[in-house]
Structure formats: C-alpha cells, structure tokens
Amino acid sequence: MNNISPQRQEELQANYQNWVPVRLLILLLSATLLCAILLAIGISLSWSWPWLALITLTVCVLAASLVYMCVLYYNFSDKGGGLMAKVHYYVISRLPWDGQGKLLDVGCGAGALTIRCAKHFPQAHCTGIDYWGIKWDYSQQVCQQNALAEQVAQRCTFRQGDANHLDFEDETFDAVVSNFVYHEINDGKSREELLRETLRVLRKGGCFALQDLFGQPSVYGNFQEIIDHLKADTIAEIHYADSGKEIPIPSWMRVSGMLPGVGIIYGKK
C-alpha cells in the first residue's frame, strides 16, 4: 500500500537518470581542465611548438567531446529534448497488447519503460528486472522510488534478475518489452538464446516488443536468420522495423551516426 502523505507524494519526482552517465561528463571536464592547465604551463615555460601543438589539439578534442556529450545529455533528458521518453513510447506503440494482465520489462534500468508501460496500460501489473551492475547508477530502490513518484507503485514490481536465466516459469507474462539491453550482455547465452529466454516466459498468444541493435552485424550477425528461426519455432507472428528511421530523433544525431542499426521486433507468440 502507498502510505505516504499527499504532501510527500507531491514532493516526489521521478529520476530516470540519463543514457549519458554524469560520471562521463565529469571525466571529460576534468581531463579538459587538466590539459588546459598543462597547456598554460607549457606556454609560460616556452615549451617547443610540437608539444604545444599536440596539447592544444588534445584540449580542442576533449572540449568538443564534452560539448557534444552535454548536448546529448540534454536531448536525452526528460527536462530537455525528452528523447529517452520518445524511444520508450515508440516501443510501447509497437506492442500489440490490450493491457490486460501482466507485463515484463527485461533490463529495466531505472524503471522508466516499466513505469511508462504501467501508466499507458492502467489495468496491467508491470514487473521490471535488471542486473543493476556498477556500470550504471540504477538500483531496485531507484525504480521503486520512481514508481512511487509516478503513482503506479501498487502496479509495479522490481527485482534483480539475469536475462540469461529469467527466474520465472514458462508463460508467466501476457506481454514482454525490452529496450537496448541484449547487446550489453556478453556472457552466457548467445543473442538468439537471450531472445528465446525472454520469449519463454511469454504465454502463448502473448505480445512482445523488443528493441536492440538488431541491425548491427557485429552484434547479431545475420539477424534475418534469427527471425526465420523464431518464426519456424515458437512465434506465431513477428515483425521487424528499422527503429532508427522511425524514432523522431534530431537530424544532426542521424548525421553523427547515433543509434546505428537500431531495430525492433514485435508481434505475438
């Protein structure tokens, strides 16, 4: 039960973090400042021009990288360009589900997609699982606090889990979603086996929408073969879409190669 006071509820705000980690921005800023200081010292001590030129170039590259990553951070954030939310709503829009029953979000991070599913499907109970490694500033507590802030805590459950071996019985859920997760998993099962493990916990006739770097051969090889295998095995209906062309991202991101090879598979088991 939600036992917090209405006043406290109003004070809570969801914090879904950002796909550009703050620690990366701090690292770039620190490196830029250190190199700038080194350049100032070199100029004052009249170092040879090759060294000064090299340090100057390094400062310029680091400063440009910092600016670029800050722009990305702003565009991904909910208070900026809201691109993270747009990506999540795109996944939801591809899920052919009526919202009745239970949904699983594989690799929920800070709970953003799970919570957005709960708000989009008001009759559903949504479960998010994640390994929550040290690479990201996510945790089960952060997810629970976000669900509380968004007033869907009673219909959201978060638990630690491994996408290689989901701790659920076969056909537990009526719908499953995932966003940019499978390419991060480099141990245990193959990419195809990861997809099969996710689909294993989906009931027959249940719906799915899974988005990842399916269009990158270096990650998935010939992804069409994986789709063909799924069609021939357990999946009744499966579609593939090039997300990079359909997600409303700024044109300058497309030019810079952001979200290369992003695709989504969706359908019914």
Side-chain angles (χ1 to χ4, degrees):
M1 293 292 293
N2 183 354
N3 294 321
I4 63 174
S5 65
Q7 181 179 358
R8 175 56 178 159
Q9 179 72 63
E10 292 180 359
E11 293 174 354
L12 290 173
Q13 288 188 345
N15 181 9
Y16 296 127
Q17 309 294 334
N18 196 289
W19 287 338
V20 178
V22 173
R23 68 185 69 178
L24 175 60
L25 301 181
I26 294 175
L27 178 62
L28 284 172
L29 176 60
S30 300
T32 302
L33 292 176
L34 286 174
C35 287
I37 293 172
L38 184 61
L39 177 61
I41 293 174
I43 293 174
S44 65
L45 296 179
S46 300
W47 288 356
S48 61
W49 71 266
W51 282 108
L52 291 178
L54 178 61
I55 298 173
T56 300
L57 178 61
T58 301
V59 171
C60 291
V61 171
L62 287 172
S65 299
L66 175 61
V67 171
Y68 180 71
M69 297 309 293
C70 285
V71 172
L72 285 183
Y73 184 93
Y74 174 81
N75 276 273
F76 283 135
S77 70
D78 287 338
K79 295 181 179 179
L83 184 54
M84 277 179 55
K86 293 176 183 177
V87 171
H88 289 155
Y89 288 127
Y90 173 77
V91 173
I92 294 172
S93 73
R94 287 292 186 174
L95 184 66
W97 188 43
D98 62 5
Q100 301 296 317
K102 298 184 296 183
L103 175 144
L104 174 67
D105 177 15
V106 179
C108 63
L113 178 56
T114 312
I115 291 168
R116 284 169 176 142
C117 285
K119 296 178 73 173
H120 187 80
F121 301 111
Q123 302 301 317
H125 185 93
C126 300
T127 298
I129 67 107
D130 201 289
Y131 190 72
W132 291 308
I134 61 174
K135 183 178 180 180
W136 304 100
D137 297 326
Y138 305 146
S139 68
Q140 183 178 18
Q141 182 180 7
V142 167
C143 292
Q144 292 170 338
Q145 290 175 344
N146 286 337
L148 195 61
E150 297 280 18
Q151 302 185 44
V152 292
Q154 293 180 345
R155 294 190 295 106
C156 287
T157 301
F158 298 97
R159 52 193 287 186
Q160 188 169 30
D162 182 358
N164 282 298
H165 305 283
L166 295 173
D167 190 22
F168 301 105
E169 298 293 330
D170 294 356
E171 302 192 15
T172 298
F173 295 94
D174 302 286
V176 292
V177 295
S178 185
N179 185 59
F180 295 155
V181 173
Y182 301 115
H183 71 278
E184 296 278 0
I185 303 172
N186 297 311
D187 58 335
K189 298 182 178 181
S190 68
R191 307 296 183 202
E192 181 174 344
E193 289 175 315
L194 279 170
L195 292 174
R196 289 181 179 276
E197 176 64 5
T198 293
L199 295 171
R200 176 186 66 80
V201 302
L202 179 65
R203 69 169 176 80
K204 196 65 177 177
C207 304
F208 61 92
L210 313 174
Q211 183 163 252
D212 201 30
L213 305 180
F214 297 136
Q216 285 196 19
S218 60
V219 179
Y220 281 93
N222 186 346
F223 189 65
Q224 183 58 50
E225 290 186 356
I226 296 178
I227 293 178
D228 292 340
H229 293 165
L230 294 175
K231 284 182 178 179
D233 191 2
T234 60
I235 306 304
E237 177 186 337
I238 183 170
H239 307 279
Y240 175 81
D242 185 341
S243 307
K245 294 181 179 179
E246 298 187 353
I247 296 173
I249 64 176
S251 59
W252 62 268
M253 283 191 179
R254 297 183 188 278
V255 173
S256 65
M258 283 297 298
L259 303 179
V262 178
I264 187 169
I265 55 173
Y266 59 97
K268 296 183 178 181
K269 183 174 178 181

